[in-house]
Amino acid sequence: MNSEATICDEERLLLGLCRLEFSDEQIKKIRSIAAGITGWNYFMNLANAHGVAALAWHNLEKYRLLSGIPEEVILFLRGALMRSLSRNAFNTESMGEVLRLLNEENIKTVILKGFALENSVYGNSGLRQMSDVDIMINREECIKARKILIGNGYVSLPVKSWFHELIIAWYGKHLPSLIRNGTSVEIHHELFGGRNNVLSKMLYDTSYEVEIKGEKALFPRPQIFFLYLVRHLWQHEMNNESQLRLYTDLVVLIEKYHDDIFNYNLIKYATEAGMSEILAWHLEPLRDMWGVFFPDWINDFIDKWHNPDQVNKFIFFLSSPKDNPPVDKPGSYRLIISDIPGFHRKFLYVLGDLFPSISFMKNRYKCNSTWRVLLYYPHRMGKILWLFRK
């Protein structure tokens, strides 16, 4: 299947710009595509929706590809980079304070996702757009860390239910977001899921030390980090949304750490985490759409798990990255339940989902009356069917 034949020039140009390193041939191809673009507003809106407007501007300017682009598009893309620079600088200051508070209590803090990538592979130059800051703390200390931050002015988003409060460190991948002065911090305690999976602990234990604003922090090693980012991307796609920003993270990580990522441990760890198919499905567009070089044994692995539906899904998300109705809500719900260890915790999670707090229900159903919101509780009982629907 020729995937490029099914996407328009604006989408092809955006794909081509989502990287940090370019060959002469790639620059020549991008220049040729750009010369024929007429839908610059579509390109601009798409770059914004995919969270790569800052990176697109950087590469268009760096390689002198701005000729023929309308001034309002240039101004928007340049503004995206300036906003990203400002936001990332703000997050860095806030992260320094978070690290200080946690380091004082000897709590080991691993930085994840955008903040780690911006500082380790994007060059700390605003090219990796982000909103919140994600950190990982082991399950035994994550509640302690949460209390420390709350005690220093951070406010937690509400927990859905009292039942969920009882198992807050055992469901999902992170605790409710903590917010202060425009900074949102998510404390993760699990990254890969699965009952017998050890990759979360491996990522945490093998992370290497760095310094942020004079404070000790840790970044994940490239290979385990790569697998985590693949799984994180897949979880977004399970919710019927995806962004080129998340694929670009994989591309730039490979550009810098190709040999560290692509050794035989990659498939071994993916198999242990039950994500062989997921890994292959996300390596395929990197090979076929970005032209990333893989050794033969990786290409064989990709071809073994080839699924045309995944290719079509990638093309769909390219033009419609966000705000798509979930395709399989019951399946996503069962996946959440299956990742919770212990029957009693699963039971409490379901109870909390069926009987959320009154404040949650008022916000969820946009209703100010306590008596009226009670009428919505029977409606939530339908979630029980999700556990058994095939």
Side-chain angles (χ1 to χ4, degrees):
M1 176 181 178
N2 185 359
S3 300
E4 285 209 17
T6 65
I7 63 178
C8 68
D9 283 348
E10 290 79 8
E11 294 160 356
R12 290 171 63 210
L13 177 61
L14 189 61
L15 266 172
L17 293 169
C18 286
R19 62 194 315 146
L20 291 177
E21 297 179 4
F22 296 83
S23 66
D24 291 342
E25 182 180 347
Q26 287 166 338
I27 293 299
K28 182 178 178 180
K29 181 178 179 180
I30 289 171
R31 183 168 282 113
S32 174
I33 297 171
I37 295 292
T38 57
W40 283 110
N41 282 336
Y42 175 60
F43 172 86
M44 175 184 72
N45 292 330
L46 200 63
N48 186 52
H50 277 288
V52 293
L55 180 61
W57 160 257
H58 168 81
N59 286 329
L60 287 169
E61 182 187 41
K62 180 178 179 179
Y63 294 102
R64 299 183 178 89
L65 298 168
L66 298 177
S67 176
I69 302 180
E71 184 66 18
E72 63 269 20
V73 175
I74 290 177
L75 290 174
F76 179 87
L77 296 177
R78 183 191 295 136
L81 178 57
M82 294 301 103
R83 289 189 295 274
S84 183
L85 270 169
S86 176
R87 182 67 190 175
N88 292 357
F90 178 78
N91 279 338
T92 299
E93 290 293 331
S94 299
M95 195 65 231
E97 173 67 6
V98 169
L99 290 169
R100 182 185 68 78
L101 293 169
L102 299 180
N103 285 338
E104 286 177 352
E105 298 295 328
N106 294 316
I107 295 177
K108 177 180 175 181
T109 305
V110 178
I111 300 178
L112 302 172
K113 297 198 298 193
F115 194 92
L117 290 162
E118 170 72 355
N119 285 273
S120 63
V121 293
Y122 282 94
N124 197 22
S125 52
L127 301 184
R128 189 10 170 114
Q129 295 174 222
M130 62 180 126
S131 52
D132 52 13
V133 176
D134 298 84
I135 61 178
M136 182 183 184
I137 295 172
N138 66 32
R139 200 185 304 273
E140 291 72 27
E141 293 191 296
C142 65
I143 299 300
K144 178 181 177 182
R146 170 180 164 85
K147 289 178 179 177
I148 289 169
L149 295 184
I150 290 174
N152 284 273
Y154 279 84
V155 177
S156 174
L157 292 183
V159 180
K160 183 183 288 188
S161 158
W162 176 81
F163 295 106
H164 287 181
E165 287 273 10
L166 298 174
I167 55 169
I168 194 171
W170 294 96
Y171 72 88
K173 301 297 181 287
H174 59 79
L175 305 179
S177 298
L178 299 171
I179 301 170
R180 189 184 75 176
N181 297 333
T183 296
S184 176
V185 178
E186 287 188 351
I187 300 176
H188 293 250
H189 50 74
E190 175 58 60
L191 303 179
F192 289 90
R195 296 178 184 177
N196 301 315
N197 180 50
V198 297
L199 293 192
S200 293
K201 185 176 188 304
M202 183 182 296
L203 182 146
Y204 187 76
D205 290 344
T206 62
S207 293
Y208 62 96
E209 187 172 329
V210 297
E211 187 177 287
I212 303 292
K213 303 301 290 186
E215 293 291 337
K216 174 185 173 182
L218 295 108
F219 286 168
R221 297 286 175 185
Q223 188 175 67
I224 302 296
F225 196 17
F226 183 83
L227 283 172
Y228 163 60
L229 293 173
V230 168
R231 183 175 174 86
H232 174 67
L233 171 55
W234 171 73
Q235 287 172 325
H236 275 274
E237 291 174 343
M238 284 285 287
N239 291 322
N240 213 21
E241 62 180 31
S242 181
Q243 286 184 296
L244 285 179
R245 173 176 58 174
L246 303 181
Y247 276 96
T248 306
D249 291 342
L250 303 179
V251 173
V252 299
L253 202 58
I254 291 171
E255 287 174 344
K256 185 165 184 177
Y257 297 110
H258 185 282
D259 293 343
D260 292 317
I261 294 170
F262 293 105
N263 58 55
Y264 290 104
N265 281 333
L266 183 71
I267 292 178
K268 174 189 171 186
Y269 293 151
T271 302
E272 289 175 359
M275 53 178 286
S276 295
E277 292 172 281
I278 296 168
L279 176 61
W281 292 341
H282 292 87
L283 291 178
E284 186 168 0
L286 302 188
R287 180 188 67 182
D288 297 347
M289 307 299 286
W290 272 270
V292 174
F293 169 78
F294 295 133
D296 289 342
W297 58 274
I298 286 288
N299 288 323
D300 292 341
F301 171 74
I302 293 170
D303 294 339
K304 173 185 175 181
W305 296 104
H306 172 72
N307 183 346
D309 289 342
Q310 291 301 124
V311 177
N312 294 332
K313 184 182 290 187
F314 175 83
I315 293 170
F316 168 76
F317 285 132
L318 188 55
S319 61
S320 182
K322 301 169 74 175
D323 302 321
N324 301 300
V327 172
D328 184 15
K329 276 190 174 182
S332 297
Y333 191 68
R334 288 194 295 270
L335 181 63
I336 293 171
I337 302 298
S338 68
D339 279 344
I340 299 173
F343 176 80
H344 65 293
R345 296 190 187 99
K346 296 179 194 290
F347 180 68
L348 287 171
Y349 180 83
V350 174
L351 274 181
D353 230 19
L354 297 179
F355 304 104
S357 68
I358 293 293
S359 59
F360 172 87
M361 292 290 284
K362 286 182 176 180
N363 182 66
R364 170 67 176 82
Y365 295 102
K366 304 296 186 286
C367 178
N368 293 323
S369 167
T370 299
W371 291 108
R372 195 169 156 201
V373 84
L374 292 175
L375 298 176
Y376 287 97
Y377 276 98
H379 171 72
R380 300 190 64 81
M381 299 299 289
K383 282 199 170 186
I384 292 179
L385 299 177
W386 287 5
L387 295 173
F388 307 103
R389 187 185 301 176
K390 294 184 179 181

